[in-house]
């Protein structure tokens, strides 16, 4: 629905079928070293990586995801960034979802 393609995720192999059923096109085994990530992504697509969503956002995953981005790409983090100044026009954004704030409580209950 978003128009993103491919949608590549990292996860345990036991979750691959489920992730593909909800829209992932490719699943990379999360047990692989982060240093293997560029090679694995290049085996999937030659398209530039324009958006990476790091749902873990540890320093090492932030650096790995940032390194995959094309110039002008966007990295979305759920924790504070440990990265320095953006280069090549890359953008780092922080997002947060909290169902305990007043205007989100109804959603949280559901």
């Amino acid at each position: 629905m978003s128009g993103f393609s491919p949608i590549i995720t990292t996860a345990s192999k036991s979750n691959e079928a489920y992730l593909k059923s909800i829209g992932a096109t490719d699943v990379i085994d999360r047990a692989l070293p982060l240093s293997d990530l560029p090679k694995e992504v290049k085996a999937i697509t030659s398209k530039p990586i324009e958006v990476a969503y790091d749902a873990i956002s540890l320093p090492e995953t932030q650096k790995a995801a940032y390194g995959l981005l094309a110039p002008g790409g966007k990295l979305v983090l759920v924790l504070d960034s440990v990265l320095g100044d953006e280069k090549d026009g890359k953008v780092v954004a922080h997002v947060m979802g909290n169902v305990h704030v007043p205007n989100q409580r109804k959603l949280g209950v559901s």
Side-chain angles (χ1 to χ4, degrees):
M1 289 178 13
S2 68
F4 291 113
S5 182
I7 298 175
I8 305 167
T9 186
T10 58
S12 60
K13 286 298 191 178
S14 64
N15 292 313
E16 183 171 0
Y18 170 69
L19 291 168
K20 286 185 173 182
S21 78
I22 60 171
T25 57
D26 300 272
V27 179
I28 297 172
D29 187 353
R30 73 175 187 181
L32 292 173
L34 287 174
S35 60
D36 287 353
L37 200 54
K39 175 183 68 158
E40 294 291 322
V41 171
K42 285 180 184 174
I44 294 167
T45 184
S46 60
K47 291 181 180 180
I49 304 300
E50 297 177 5
V51 178
Y53 186 101
D54 184 355
I56 304 299
S57 297
L58 296 175
E60 56 273 12
T61 63
Q62 289 183 32
K63 291 173 187 170
Y66 191 86
L68 291 172
L69 290 175
K74 295 169 183 58
L75 174 60
V76 181
L77 303 172
V78 297
L79 297 177
D80 291 334
S81 175
V82 299
L83 302 167
D85 294 331
E86 292 123 18
K87 298 176 183 153
D88 299 326
K90 295 178 184 179
V91 175
V92 177
H94 178 258
V95 295
M96 182 184 87
N98 184 343
V99 297
H100 300 289
V101 294
N103 66 337
Q104 296 296 325
R105 285 193 181 132
K106 184 176 178 182
L107 175 63
V109 169
S110 69

